[in-house]
Amino acid sequence: MLVLGIESSCDETGVALFHTERGLLAHAVYTQVAMHEAYGGVVPELASRDHIRRLVPLLERVLAEAQVSKQDIDAIAYTAGPGLAGALLVGASFAEALGLALDIPVLPVHHLEGHLLSPLLAKTPPVFPFVALLVSGGHTQLMRVSRVGAYELLGESLDDAAGEAFDKTAKLLGLGYPGGPALAMLAEGGKPGRYKLPRPMLNSGDLDFSFSGLKTAVLTQVRNAELSDQDKTDLAYEFQEAVTEVLAAKALAALAQTRLDQLVVAGGVGANRRLRQRLDAVIGKRGGKVFYPELELCTDNGAMIAFCGAQRLLAGAKPKGDGGFAIRPRWPLSEV
Ligand code: KG4
Ligand code: ZN
């Protein structure tokens, strides 16, 4: 079965072809980062309009790369939520129209489920059950994953998501958008111990997170003094230490609580080198193993949507089949 995946929930247009026997045949992503940079964040209307421009050329590219034609596609999966309503609508209408034209099933997919299952696309995938740490721009969650479609929430951020904290802190330090990778890069040159930042909820005894206080602590430093470039570097270093320490400690606690030994990391912050280092260290020490998606599949992409749709169809999911639009800008993963 050949599944076309369409991702358009935020500022990346992703299109991919996944074959249930042959694997990922092709995937292409167009990122709108340069366009939104001037505004310091994603402008939803501009995002929607750009998705419209990119979808057809990206589809043509993946078809050529995979050396298949539109008629070879057996089903289409698209991100129906969560995300920006206008942006989601572009992908949804594109997918539904193409599905109607080709007379094939169309399946709405949950964006986070896509992220969650993306490590299964790696060369050495985890096996069910496992614990997933989902760290994206909008979510920070720990989940027990028993099989495709069975996700139990163990803990989550009570305020800012980890990626959001990275982005907001980067902005405070005068870094461009997107802030996460920029802050991570700056932190590389930081000196340990120059600043003291809190480790929010490290010892809260549960698996929840809170990151907004950390951003406020950085704001206080920024307001208190004129920061030199080295100060900013050291502050970025300490911020990254604080976030990754809490994430690693809670991920370890989640494994202990569920008595599982595999941790799957998904979402944009999963690309963070320091986080990977820490997770490998603390979990490896306890005999556990950490699984990451391929680096290019950490941030938003169509491959995870095609893969997720394929798994859902294999598990017997029934597409709607009425040609209507199903977008859910707010869609808890527990409701998939
Ligand atoms: O999963 P994703 O591409 O989009 C969402 O669904 O949110 O994640 C984007 C988030 C952004 O907040 C971005 O700053 C963060 O992931 N991010 C990083 C890194 N790469 C991306 N944060 C820290 N370090 C990175 N290397
Ligand atoms: Zn995402």
Side-chain angles (χ1 to χ4, degrees):
M1 180 170 56
L2 181 63
V3 182
L4 172 71
I6 309 275
E7 157 63 34
S8 72
S9 66
C10 191
D11 58 348
E12 261 104 26
T13 323
V15 178
L17 286 164
F18 177 79
H19 193 280
T20 47
E21 279 94 53
R22 295 166 59 204
L24 187 61
L25 300 190
H27 94 102
V29 176
Y30 179 84
T31 175
Q32 305 175 352
V33 160
M35 183 179 75
H36 297 295
E37 211 166 10
Y39 305 93
V42 179
V43 184
E45 182 60 24
L46 293 183
S48 312
R49 292 178 193 203
D50 205 58
H51 286 308
I52 295 173
R53 277 193 288 272
R54 306 297 167 195
L55 277 170
V56 172
L58 285 176
L59 174 62
E60 283 170 351
R61 207 166 107 194
V62 294
L63 287 171
E65 213 177 298
Q67 297 186 321
V68 296
S69 77
K70 283 199 283 289
Q71 282 67 30
D72 295 323
I73 303 171
D74 297 305
I76 304 175
Y78 67 94
T79 302
L84 303 170
L88 290 168
L89 273 173
V90 176
S93 52
F94 184 86
E96 292 290 355
L98 190 61
L100 214 57
L102 297 173
D103 195 23
I104 54 175
V106 181
L107 195 72
V109 162
H110 194 291
H111 180 80
L112 297 182
E113 185 177 18
H115 274 304
L116 203 72
L117 300 180
S118 59
L120 294 170
L121 273 166
K123 279 178 210 85
T124 46
V127 290
F128 296 116
F130 52 76
V131 170
L133 172 66
L134 194 62
V135 272
S136 72
H139 293 83
T140 303
Q141 300 184 327
L142 276 162
M143 251 166 299
R144 184 187 199 281
V145 181
S146 316
R147 57 179 163 79
V148 173
Y151 313 117
E152 183 198 339
L153 185 67
L154 303 170
E156 65 183 332
S157 176
L158 306 177
D159 42 56
D160 291 354
E164 190 180 359
F166 263 95
D167 293 338
K168 288 179 174 171
T169 303
K171 213 169 196 171
L172 291 175
L173 295 176
L175 300 172
Y177 155 88
L183 194 146
M185 213 193 298
L186 183 67
E188 297 268 320
K191 277 201 283 293
R194 283 264 336 269
Y195 291 95
K196 266 205 157 36
L197 291 178
R199 304 296 191 254
M201 296 185 72
L202 184 61
N203 300 310
S204 60
D206 55 24
L207 298 173
D208 289 333
F209 305 88
S210 165
F211 292 113
S212 71
L214 206 44
K215 168 199 70 199
T216 312
V218 172
L219 178 65
T220 308
Q221 298 288 349
V222 171
R223 280 204 179 133
N224 282 352
E226 186 75 29
L227 299 181
S228 69
D229 284 351
Q230 188 61 50
D231 294 339
K232 287 182 188 172
T233 304
D234 297 340
L235 202 47
Y237 172 89
E238 188 56 26
F239 171 83
Q240 182 171 261
E241 287 303 294
V243 173
T244 54
E245 185 180 335
V246 177
L247 287 173
K250 298 260 171 165
L252 183 66
L255 288 177
Q257 185 181 309
T258 53
R259 294 168 191 270
L260 295 176
D261 58 5
Q262 299 171 99
L263 180 80
V264 158
V265 183
V269 185
N272 186 278
R273 283 230 314 256
R274 181 66 176 131
L275 177 63
R276 290 182 172 214
Q277 229 174 38
R278 278 191 183 270
L279 287 171
D280 289 341
V282 298
I283 288 164
K285 208 167 107 188
R286 301 283 179 93
K289 187 160 165 42
V290 193
F291 296 81
Y292 306 95
E294 304 289 338
L295 210 51
E296 61 177 324
L297 300 185
C298 273
T299 46
D300 292 349
N301 63 84
M304 66 183 193
I305 302 304
F307 179 74
C308 180
Q311 301 311 307
R312 282 274 174 181
L313 289 166
L314 288 175
K318 292 273 173 287
K320 283 191 303 87
D322 59 3
F325 292 72
I327 67 151
R328 289 191 64 179
R330 289 173 189 278
W331 185 9
L333 188 55
S334 54
E335 287 177 18
V336 297

